[in-house]
Amino acid sequence: MTTPALMIDGRSSADVPLHHVWSVCLGAGRANEALRADWQSHFREAVNTLGARYVRFHGVFHDDMFVYRTSNGGGFGPATPLEKPVFTFAYVDKVFDAILDMGARPFVELGFMPRELATQTETLFWWKAHCSPPNDMGAWVDLVTATVEHWIERYGIDEVRTWPFEIWNEPNLVPHFWTGTRTEYFELYEATARALKAIDPALRVGGPSSSVFVPDSRYDGEYHDKSVEAATAEAPDPEVLPWKPVWINELIAYCAERDLPIDFLSTHLYPTDYAFDTQGVGRSISRGRDATRQDLEIMRQVIADSPYPNADLHITEWSTSPSSRDHMHDTVYAATYIVRAFLQCHDLADSISYWTFTDVFEEGGGGIGPFHGGFGFVNEQGIHKPTFHAMAMLNRLGDRIALQTDHGIITKTETDAVAAVFFNYPESMGSHSVGGATRYEQTRRLAGEGPARRILHVVDGLMPGDVYAVEILDQEHGNVAEAWHRLGQPLNLSRHQVADLTTIADDLDRSSLTVRADGVLEIDITLAPWAVMSISRTNP
C-alpha cells in the first residue's frame, strides 16, 4: 500500500536533509579510562541507544598507555635502558578493538607527549599529562608513524582512512594543554600532518582543536596574554562583544603558505568564557542561548573564504560549560538546552561532539558523589541523566526534515513514518542560556521559569492504525538529580538506592497516539517548562 504525500498543518511537508551532528562523535576523558568495564558498558549503550559513531579522547600516548618505551620497566629493581625506543600497543589495541567491536570508530586525537619526549612534564590533571612540545621532533614523528602504521596493519587501510586525525588538544591554553608557543604548535602540526600524508595521502588530518571563542586579543600572539582581558571580564553585556575563533585563521595562513593539508578544522564551542579583570580576578562569563549557532556561522564563513573551502568542520568538544563540576550537567535544564542547540545547528557542522558521554572521567580525579556535575550522559553508576534521554530522542529522528519550528522538528523516516522532537525552552529565559552551578541547589533557580507551551500539529498521509509512542522528559519525569537531592544528596549510594534512582531516571511520561483511519495523526500536547518530548512509531 502506497501512502499519500505527507501534509503537515494543511501544507505539503518540506523534504530537506537532517544531519545528525549530535551522534557523529562523542567525547571521553582519556584513553586509559576506556580500559574499564564500566566505561565500555556506558559506551556500548551510547552506540546502541544514542547512535554514537565515533569517540574522541585524550592521552593515547600518555605514560599509562605504555606506548613509548625507553626501558624494560624494572618493578622492584632498576629499569634496564633499551638500546633504542620501542613502541608497544597492547593497551591501545584493547581500547581500539573494543570501540570497533561495538560498531563505532576512533576520532583520533594525537597526544599527549610521552614523558621521555616531553620538554616539560606533569603539566595538567590528576593523571599528570605531559602537554609540551617534543624534545626531539624526529622522535615524535617516528612515534606517530609507527603508531599509524600499526593501526593500518591491524585494521586495514580502508578502515583507518575513515578515522579523522586531530593534532593535539587546546594548544592555545598555555601552560596547561601546551607549554610552547603558537609557532611551536604549528610546527608540530606541520611535522605530524606531513608524516600522516607520507603514510597515505588519503588519511584525514586537522586541527587546531582550540578552546572556545574569545572577544579580545589574548591569543593573538605567541602566548596567552591575560593583560588584555579586562574589557571582556567587565563587560555588562557579553553578547555585544566581537566573539571570534582562536588560532583558526592563523593555522589556515600558516598551512596555506607551506602547502600543508587541512582536511578538517576543529575547535571547541563552550558558551562560556573566563577572563581576568583589571585587578587580576578571574570572572566566569555565560553567553546567550544562541552562542553556539553564532560561532558556527562565523566558522563556516571563515572556511568558505579560506584556501581550504572544502575542509570539514568538527566541533570536537561542546557542552553547556567546560567544567566537570558543574551541576547543571545533571539536570533537565541542560537536556532542554542541548536539544534546542543541536536542532538549531544541525546544518552548520559536520559533527558537534558532546563532552562527554560518561562520568567515568578523571581530569580532576573521580567525582565526589553520584551527581557531582560531571559531563556525562550517565553517572559513574550508569544511571541515566536527563541528557541521556534527550540524546536518545534525537537519535530516533529520521534523516529528512518535514517541518522545523523554533520549538521542535518533525522528520521523515525510511519506513514512511515520522519521528518528532519538541521542547519547551521557557520564554521567560529570553536570550539567556542555562548558565552553570557549583552546587545542585543553584540549578533549582530555573525551576520556576515558564510558561507551558502547547504543541499542536496535524500530520496527514500516514499509515492508518499506526501507533506512535510519546515520551516526555520534564521536571516530574526522569529528573533523577532532583530525586537524589530529595534523598538528602547521599555521597555514597547503597545498592538499593542505585536501583531506585535508576528506576526514577528512566520513568518518563509515556503515552501513545494512533493514526486515524484517514491517515491523520493529531498532536495536541502541552509541555511544561523545560520538557522535551519524543514522538516515534512503535511498530517500525
Side-chain angles (χ1 to χ4, degrees):
M1 178 178 179
T2 302
T3 57
L6 196 67
M7 303 282 289
I8 300 179
D9 301 333
R11 299 180 181 181
S12 297
S13 67
D15 187 22
V16 296
L18 174 64
H19 183 38
H20 287 218
V21 293
W22 48 83
S23 59
V24 174
C25 183
L26 297 177
R30 77 184 196 277
N32 187 267
E33 293 160 2
L35 294 168
R36 290 173 46 164
D38 51 358
W39 188 103
Q40 292 188 17
S41 175
H42 299 171
F43 186 62
R44 184 176 294 105
E45 190 173 37
V47 173
N48 295 336
T49 304
L50 308 185
R53 290 153 47 197
Y54 287 83
V55 61
R56 171 187 177 270
F57 41 76
H58 307 318
V60 73
F61 292 142
H62 187 59
D63 300 337
D64 59 8
M65 296 303 287
F66 300 102
V67 174
Y68 188 82
R69 315 299 292 275
T70 59
S71 77
N72 72 342
F76 288 106
T80 303
L82 302 175
E83 291 185 6
K84 63 179 182 178
V86 298
F87 312 114
T88 58
F89 300 107
Y91 280 28
V92 172
D93 288 348
K94 292 177 184 179
V95 171
F96 280 48
D97 285 359
I99 293 167
L100 291 163
D101 289 348
M102 291 181 210
R105 290 179 163 126
F107 192 118
V108 182
E109 177 197 308
L110 291 171
F112 294 120
M113 203 60 64
R115 178 181 294 272
E116 289 86 354
L117 286 183
T119 53
Q120 295 187 46
T121 62
E122 301 184 8
T123 64
L124 192 65
F125 299 145
W126 164 85
W127 46 276
K128 308 296 185 183
H130 316 307
C131 299
S132 76
N135 54 37
D136 182 337
M137 188 68 80
W140 166 260
V141 167
D142 289 345
L143 170 62
V144 170
T145 301
T147 302
V148 176
E149 288 178 343
H150 169 76
W151 285 332
I152 291 171
E153 180 181 3
R154 187 173 183 86
Y155 305 114
I157 186 60
D158 290 340
E159 172 62 35
V160 177
R161 283 174 176 168
T162 67
W163 304 356
F165 288 89
E166 185 180 37
I167 300 174
W168 215 257
N169 177 76
E170 299 186 343
N172 61 294
L173 293 186
V174 176
H176 304 296
F177 280 107
W178 186 246
T179 64
T181 64
R182 184 178 68 191
T183 297
E184 285 177 310
Y185 168 71
F186 289 170
E187 290 169 349
L188 184 84
Y189 182 95
E190 178 174 5
T192 309
R194 290 194 188 281
L196 290 168
K197 293 296 185 179
I199 296 168
D200 181 52
L203 296 179
R204 296 186 293 156
V205 61
S209 189
S210 49
S211 71
V212 304
F213 274 37
V214 297
D216 50 52
S217 60
R218 74 186 75 166
Y219 297 122
D220 287 0
E222 289 291 313
Y223 290 103
H224 178 189
D225 182 2
K226 295 180 181 178
S227 69
V228 300
E229 298 178 11
T232 301
E234 298 169 358
D237 182 5
E239 287 306 290
V240 303
L241 299 175
W243 297 92
K244 64 180 182 179
V246 172
W247 288 14
I248 299 294
N249 288 293
E250 293 85 350
L251 178 65
I252 289 171
Y254 183 94
C255 291
E257 181 180 347
R258 291 160 178 79
D259 195 27
L260 297 174
I262 300 179
D263 296 309
F264 64 88
L265 284 155
S266 64
T267 190
H268 302 162
L269 297 183
Y270 296 102
T272 60
D273 190 24
Y274 190 84
F276 290 86
D277 63 19
T278 53
Q279 306 303 311
V281 177
R283 297 187 182 182
S284 296
I285 297 169
S286 180
R287 299 176 60 192
R289 65 180 188 176
D290 297 329
T292 299
R293 180 169 181 87
Q294 293 163 2
D295 292 351
L296 285 170
E297 289 172 340
I298 291 171
M299 282 296 302
R300 275 300 181 199
Q301 193 61 52
V302 167
I303 293 173
D305 294 342
S306 79
Y308 303 91
N310 297 318
D312 288 341
L313 174 59
H314 292 295
I315 306 307
T316 49
E317 290 185 25
W318 180 81
S319 185
T320 56
S321 81
S323 169
S324 61
R325 299 295 185 268
D326 182 351
H327 286 261
M328 196 61 71
H329 292 142
D330 299 333
T331 67
V332 67
Y333 317 121
T336 313
Y337 178 91
I338 69 172
V339 166
R340 181 183 183 276
F342 276 136
L343 291 179
Q344 190 183 48
C345 299
H346 63 78
D347 58 336
L348 291 174
D350 294 281
S351 72
I352 302 176
S353 179
Y354 191 85
W355 191 255
T356 60
F357 74 87
T358 176
D359 276 0
V360 177
F361 181 89
E362 296 179 343
E363 289 185 356
I368 299 177
F371 295 98
H372 57 267
F375 291 114
F377 297 135
V378 298
N379 78 347
E380 291 173 340
Q381 290 81 21
I383 299 172
H384 298 152
K385 300 183 190 179
T387 51
F388 177 92
H389 294 294
M391 293 292 286
M393 291 177 181
L394 289 171
N395 186 47
R396 290 196 285 268
L397 291 173
D399 294 329
R400 309 292 297 182
I401 300 172
L403 175 73
Q404 184 164 8
T405 73
D406 290 340
H407 311 299
I409 193 168
I410 300 175
T411 64
K412 301 177 182 179
T413 71
E414 294 180 352
T415 57
D416 294 325
V418 294
V421 170
F422 296 98
F423 58 88
N424 182 359
Y425 192 91
E427 292 294 337
S428 60
M429 290 291 290
S431 63
H432 295 290
S433 72
V434 293
T438 57
R439 296 181 298 111
Y440 177 76
E441 289 80 2
Q442 294 173 352
T443 72
R444 303 176 87 220
R445 71 182 187 272
L446 299 178
E449 299 289 344
R453 174 173 291 118
R454 185 183 183 190
I455 302 299
L456 180 61
H457 294 289
V458 177
V459 184
D460 191 356
L462 300 176
M463 187 69 68
D466 273 357
V467 177
Y468 281 77
V470 179
E471 286 189 357
I472 299 176
L473 167 75
D474 58 25
Q475 294 183 77
E476 302 301 322
H477 302 88
N479 193 0
V480 66
E482 179 66 16
W484 169 73
H485 170 74
R486 291 171 182 169
L487 285 176
Q489 299 188 10
L491 195 63
N492 300 292
L493 298 178
S494 69
R495 298 185 74 176
H496 179 75
Q497 288 172 324
V498 170
D500 285 349
L501 289 173
T502 298
T503 298
I504 291 169
D506 295 337
D507 186 22
L508 305 188
D509 182 2
R510 294 182 170 92
S511 59
S512 64
L513 299 171
T514 302
V515 179
R516 296 186 330 217
D518 59 358
V520 170
L521 179 69
E522 291 185 299
I523 302 170
D524 187 356
I525 298 174
T526 297
L527 296 182
W530 302 110
V532 183
M533 174 175 65
S534 168
I535 300 175
S536 59
R537 193 170 69 169
T538 61
N539 53 335

